[in-house]
Amino acid sequence: MPTSIIISLDAMGGDAGPEMVVAGAALALERRPELHFVLFGDEARVAPLVAARPKLAAVSRVVHAEVVVRMDDKPSQALRAGRWKSSMWKAIDAVKTGEAAVCVSAGNTGALMAMAKFCLRTMAGIERPAIAAIWPTLTGEAIVLDVGATIGADAQQLVDFAVMGSAMARSVFGVDRPRVGLLNIGVEEVKGIEEVKMAGRLLRDADLQELEYVGYVEGDDIGRGIVDVVVTEGFAGNIALKTAEGTAKQMGQYLRAGISRTWLTRLGYLLAKSAFDRLKEKMDPRKVNGGVFLGLNGVVIKSHGGADAEGFASAIELARDMALNDLTARIVEGLAHYHRAGFATAASGEERGEL
Amino acid sequence: MPTSIIISLDAMGGDAGPEMVVAGAALALERRPELHFVLFGDEARVAPLVAARPKLAAVSRVVHAEVVVRMDDKPSQALRAGRWKSSMWKAIDAVKTGEAAVCVSAGNTGALMAMAKFCLRTMAGIERPAIAAIWPTLTGEAIVLDVGATIGADAQQLVDFAVMGSAMARSVFGVDRPRVGLLNIGVEEVKGIEEVKMAGRLLRDADLQELEYVGYVEGDDIGRGIVDVVVTEGFAGNIALKTAEGTAKQMGQYLRAGISRTWLTRLGYLLAKSAFDRLKEKMDPRKVNGGVFLGLNGVVIKSHGGADAEGFASAIELARDMALNDLTARIVEGLAHYHRAGFATAASGEERGEL
C-alpha cells in the first residue's frame, strides 16, 4: 500500500452540496484506503455527515469555512467575497501550504480558476494555466488540453500545453513517452492557424525525450485514440469537448427512443443489455470526471458541478493518481528539460521574426 | 411537379469516380424527376455510363473536360492546371453562365473552394465565403457554418454568416424566421471571444426580420436542436463537426463490440434491430451529405470525397432544394435588408473604435 495521500476537498462546491462530497469521499476511500481528507465548509453541516461514516471520519479532518462560493458567482465576485475565508479558497490554500497534495472542488469553474491562479500562481516559465480533460477513446483514454481556461494561445503556450499534458499522461496512463498531436483542421485550402503551425515546428525541432510529437490531428482523431495528448487552445478545445458530450447524449437518446417503441425492441434490449451497459460505461461522463488545472504551483481538480457521489469519487481518484506520481514535479522537470534545450528562446526569436 | 432544375456535376470528383457520380445522379432522378444534369468529365468514360441508363440519359448532357483535379492536388496546383479546362472548373462555370442552377462535386475541397471563389467571386458586401453543413439534431436538423472555409472571422463576417445561414435555413427547412445562435464557450471566467461578443451585440441591435437571434450556444447545444443555425468561425466549426462525426463512429464501434460478444447479445440485437437501424439512419453521414459554399455568386455543393451513390444522391437533392428556393436570391435579399438597416456601417465604426 502506498503511503497516505492527503486530498483537500471543497465540501460546499457543486449543485448537490456537502452530502454528495462526503459520500464521494467515502466511496473513493473504499477503493483507495491510502486516502486522507481535509474537508473545508460549514462545520455544522459537514462534520455530522463525516461523523456518520466512521471509516471516513478516521482519516478526515473538517475545517470550518464561513463563506460559500455560489455556482453563479462571477469570478471577481467570488474573489472579493471568498478570498481567504471561503471553503473553495481554503481547500486550494491547503495545497499551497503543503497540507494537501491535491485539491478537488465541484464548485463554479470560473471562481475556482480565478482563486487557484491567485493563490497558487502560475509556474515559472508558464504564462497561462490550462484545463486538461480525460477523453475516452477506442484504445483507452487521451488527455485534451486546454478545454477552456483561456481563449487563444500562441505557439509557445501550445508547446507548454504539450509538455504539461505529457507530464500528466505519464502520471495517469503510465506511458513513458506520450504521443502528442496538435489539433488542426484538414481542409486543404486552409493551411492551419499560424500558431498551430509554428507550435508544430517547435515541437518537431525540440525532439523532446518526454514526448513524441506525431503531428496534426483532426476532431475525429481524438476518439480514435491515435495520440495520448491532444493540444489546442481553449476555445476550440471547449467546443470539441462539449460537442462530443452532446453527440454522445444525442445518440443515447435516439437509441432509447428506438428501443422503447415495440415489445420486440424492448425484449431485444434486455437480451443485449450487456452491450448497452458497455456503451454506457464507456461513455459515462462520471468515469472521466475531472478537469485538471495545469501550470499552477499545485494541482487543482474541477469536478462537474452536477456530479453525483460516484462522479466525485472518480475526481478524487484522479487526484490520487496525480499526487502519487507527483504531477507538479513532473511538469517542472519537463519544462526544465525543454527550457534547457534552449527552444523556448529560439521560439520567441522565431516569433519576433514572423511578426 | 416543379419546372425542371438543371444541376451541373463534376463527374470526375471523389474517390470512386464517374461510376459513383452517374449512379448517384440516377438515384436522385428516381426520387426527383424534375432534375436535369450536365455532367463534365472524360467523355469516353462518362458517356457510356450515362447511356447505359436510358432515363438518366434522357435528361442529361455530357460535356468533355480533358483535365481531372486530383484529390491531393493543392488548391494552387489545381487552379494552375485545371482552370478553364478541368471537369471541376467547367461544372462551376456552368453555374456562372446560368446553364445550371447549382453545381455538385465530390472532388477535393480546397481546389473546389479555390476554383469557386475564382470563377464565381464573392457576393457584393461579402468578404469571405463559408461552408455550411447540415447537422442532425434531436428535433430535426440544424445548419452549422463556417465548417472550414476560412480560419478566424471578425464580428461583421459572423453576422454575414448568420444572414447567409438563415437564408439557407429558410430554403432547406422552410422556416420563416430561423433561430440563430452564436457558438461560444460557457466557462465563466472566459467572457467569450471578442468577435463573438460583438457579433452578438450587432445581431441583437439589428433585430432582423429574417432571423431570430437567440444568443450564445455551446457545443452540446448543437445536437439538441434549440437553434436552426449555429454560427462560428471555420477553425472551431470544423473541429466541432469532425469531433461529432468521430464521437458517433466511436459509439457505434463500442456498441458493435458489445453486441458481438455473446449469442445472447447477438440475438438481442436482431430483435432490437429496428432501434439500431433508427440510430444508424439518424446518424448516417450520407443523409446529410453536402457542404454548401455560401457567399459566392452561385451555389456550389461539396459532397464527401468518399461518398457512395446514395450519399452523392443526397448532395444532389440538397442542391435541388437550394435551386428550387433560389438560395442565392434569398441571400442577396437578406444581405440587402441588413445593409439597408445600416448596421453594417455601424459595425465597422464600432470595430474601428475597439482597435
Side-chain angles (χ1 to χ4, degrees):
Chain A
M1 196 170 93
T3 46
S4 66
I5 292 169
I6 306 172
I7 309 284
S8 63
L9 303 178
D10 169 11
M12 311 306 283
D15 302 332
E19 287 74 15
M20 179 283 286
V21 171
V22 172
L27 257 176
L29 180 64
E30 272 173 37
R31 299 196 283 247
R32 305 293 185 184
E34 68 274 20
L35 289 174
H36 285 62
F37 299 101
V38 200
L39 297 100
F40 296 88
D42 179 355
E43 199 166 12
R45 286 185 64 192
V46 181
L49 291 167
V50 173
R53 293 172 169 83
K55 273 190 199 159
L56 180 66
V59 298
S60 299
R61 198 160 74 84
V62 176
V63 179
H64 183 66
E66 53 191 302
V67 175
V68 175
V69 172
R70 282 180 307 254
M71 294 307 275
D72 56 353
D73 278 349
K74 293 209 170 125
S76 52
Q77 284 178 317
L79 263 180
R80 248 192 328 271
R83 205 182 317 168
W84 324 122
K85 49 193 177 190
S86 63
S87 61
M88 185 182 273
W89 176 277
K90 287 184 169 183
I92 298 168
D93 196 53
V95 173
K96 189 180 179 185
T97 62
E99 189 187 0
V102 177
C103 161
V104 181
S105 171
N108 127 21
T109 311
L112 189 64
M113 180 52 96
M115 285 196 183
K117 276 201 276 194
F118 198 95
C119 179
L120 298 172
R121 304 283 162 186
T122 52
M123 284 176 169
I126 294 289
E127 269 176 79
R128 290 164 141 200
I131 302 178
I134 295 184
W135 191 296
T137 72
L138 286 176
T139 59
E141 287 172 336
I143 288 164
V144 180
L145 78 166
D146 171 30
V147 296
T150 42
I151 280 175
D154 63 24
Q156 186 54 58
Q157 285 158 353
L158 291 173
V159 173
D160 291 342
F161 292 174
V163 172
M164 297 195 297
S166 302
M168 180 168 156
R170 288 196 303 278
S171 293
V172 186
F173 307 148
V175 283
D176 270 351
R177 201 165 180 241
R179 295 157 303 166
V180 174
L182 284 169
L183 192 59
N184 203 349
I185 74 178
V187 178
E188 310 302 329
E189 85 273 23
V190 186
K191 304 273 175 43
I193 202 161
E194 267 316 305
E195 292 78 10
V196 176
K197 284 164 65 183
M198 200 190 301
R201 285 198 297 274
L202 289 173
L203 283 169
R204 204 173 294 286
D205 292 349
D207 191 23
L208 298 166
Q209 65 181 76
E210 280 86 4
L211 61 90
E212 181 193 349
Y213 172 60
V214 299
Y216 299 147
V217 293
E218 293 191 50
D220 51 345
D221 294 323
I222 309 176
R224 288 173 56 213
I226 56 174
V227 292
D228 302 301
V229 180
V230 176
V231 171
T232 183
E233 60 80 36
F235 188 75
N238 185 275
I239 285 171
L241 181 69
K242 293 271 175 72
T243 302
E245 287 175 356
T247 305
K249 268 190 220 154
Q250 188 182 348
M251 289 189 68
Q253 208 141 323
Y254 287 144
L255 208 50
R256 272 192 299 280
I259 283 163
S260 62
R261 264 201 300 185
T262 70
W263 64 267
L264 209 62
T265 53
R266 284 196 295 269
L267 176 63
Y269 165 73
L270 288 177
L271 296 178
K273 197 168 176 306
S274 70
F276 290 100
D277 289 348
R278 188 188 161 87
L279 173 69
K280 224 162 121 185
E281 194 199 304
K282 286 274 185 188
M283 302 305 282
D284 187 353
R286 299 182 309 173
K287 296 274 170 187
V288 289
N289 182 27
V292 181
F293 294 3
L294 298 178
L296 304 171
N297 295 302
V299 177
V300 173
I301 293 187
K302 165 68 173 81
S303 156
H304 267 284
D308 59 9
E310 183 59 55
F312 198 76
S314 291
I316 292 175
E317 288 178 271
L318 183 60
R320 175 235 172 228
D321 290 348
M322 306 292 186
L324 200 60
N325 295 288
D326 204 352
L327 176 62
T328 309
R330 279 187 187 240
I331 292 178
V332 169
E333 196 182 81
L335 290 171
H337 283 164
Y338 177 68
H339 287 285
R340 251 206 310 282
F343 284 98
T345 331
S348 342
E350 194 173 336
E351 266 177 24
R352 275 197 301 274
E354 294 245 343
L355 283 172
Chain B
M1 195 172 93
T3 45
S4 67
I5 292 168
I6 306 172
I7 309 285
S8 63
L9 302 177
D10 169 11
M12 311 306 283
D15 302 332
E19 288 74 14
M20 179 283 287
V21 171
V22 172
L27 257 177
L29 180 64
E30 272 174 36
R31 299 197 283 248
R32 305 292 185 185
E34 69 273 21
L35 289 174
H36 285 61
F37 299 101
V38 200
L39 297 100
F40 296 89
D42 179 354
E43 200 168 10
R45 288 185 64 191
V46 180
L49 292 168
V50 173
R53 293 173 168 83
K55 273 190 198 159
L56 180 67
V59 297
S60 298
R61 197 160 75 81
V62 176
V63 179
H64 183 66
E66 52 190 302
V67 175
V68 174
V69 172
R70 282 178 306 253
M71 295 306 275
D72 56 354
D73 277 348
K74 293 211 169 123
S76 52
Q77 284 178 317
L79 264 179
R80 247 194 327 271
R83 206 182 316 169
W84 322 124
K85 48 193 176 188
S86 64
S87 60
M88 186 182 272
W89 177 277
K90 286 185 169 182
I92 298 167
D93 196 53
V95 173
K96 188 180 180 185
T97 62
E99 188 186 0
V102 178
C103 162
V104 181
S105 171
N108 129 21
T109 310
L112 188 64
M113 178 54 93
M115 285 196 182
K117 277 202 275 193
F118 198 95
C119 178
L120 298 171
R121 305 282 162 185
T122 53
M123 285 177 169
I126 294 288
E127 272 176 78
R128 290 164 142 200
I131 303 178
I134 296 183
W135 191 296
T137 72
L138 286 175
T139 59
E141 287 172 337
I143 289 165
V144 180
L145 77 167
D146 171 29
V147 295
T150 43
I151 279 176
D154 64 23
Q156 186 54 56
Q157 284 158 353
L158 291 172
V159 172
D160 291 342
F161 293 173
V163 171
M164 297 195 299
S166 302
M168 180 169 155
R170 288 196 302 278
S171 293
V172 186
F173 307 149
V175 284
D176 271 351
R177 201 166 180 242
R179 295 158 303 166
V180 175
L182 285 169
L183 192 58
N184 202 348
I185 74 176
V187 178
E188 310 302 329
E189 84 274 24
V190 186
K191 304 272 177 41
I193 202 161
E194 267 316 304
E195 292 78 11
V196 175
K197 284 162 67 182
M198 200 191 299
R201 286 198 296 274
L202 289 173
L203 284 168
R204 203 173 295 285
D205 291 351
D207 192 23
L208 298 166
Q209 64 180 76
E210 280 86 4
L211 61 90
E212 181 194 349
Y213 172 61
V214 299
Y216 299 148
V217 293
E218 294 191 50
D220 51 345
D221 293 324
I222 309 175
R224 290 172 56 211
I226 56 174
V227 292
D228 303 300
V229 180
V230 176
V231 171
T232 184
E233 59 79 37
F235 188 75
N238 185 275
I239 285 172
L241 181 69
K242 293 272 175 70
T243 302
E245 287 174 357
T247 306
K249 267 190 223 156
Q250 189 181 348
M251 289 189 68
Q253 208 141 324
Y254 288 144
L255 210 49
R256 272 192 299 279
I259 284 163
S260 61
R261 263 202 300 184
T262 70
W263 66 267
L264 208 63
T265 52
R266 284 196 295 270
L267 176 63
Y269 165 74
L270 289 176
L271 296 178
K273 195 166 176 310
S274 72
F276 291 102
D277 290 347
R278 187 188 162 87
L279 173 69
K280 223 161 122 185
E281 193 199 305
K282 285 274 184 188
M283 301 306 282
D284 187 353
R286 299 182 310 175
K287 295 275 169 185
V288 289
N289 181 25
V292 180
F293 293 3
L294 297 178
L296 304 170
N297 294 304
V299 177
V300 173
I301 293 187
K302 164 68 174 78
S303 156
H304 267 283
D308 60 8
E310 183 59 55
F312 198 75
S314 291
I316 292 175
E317 288 178 271
L318 183 61
R320 174 236 173 226
D321 289 350
M322 306 292 188
L324 200 60
N325 295 287
D326 204 352
L327 177 62
T328 308
R330 280 187 186 239
I331 292 178
V332 169
E333 196 181 79
L335 290 171
H337 282 165
Y338 176 68
H339 288 285
R340 253 207 307 284
F343 284 97
T345 331
S348 343
E350 194 173 334
E351 269 177 19
R352 275 197 301 275
E354 294 245 342
L355 284 173

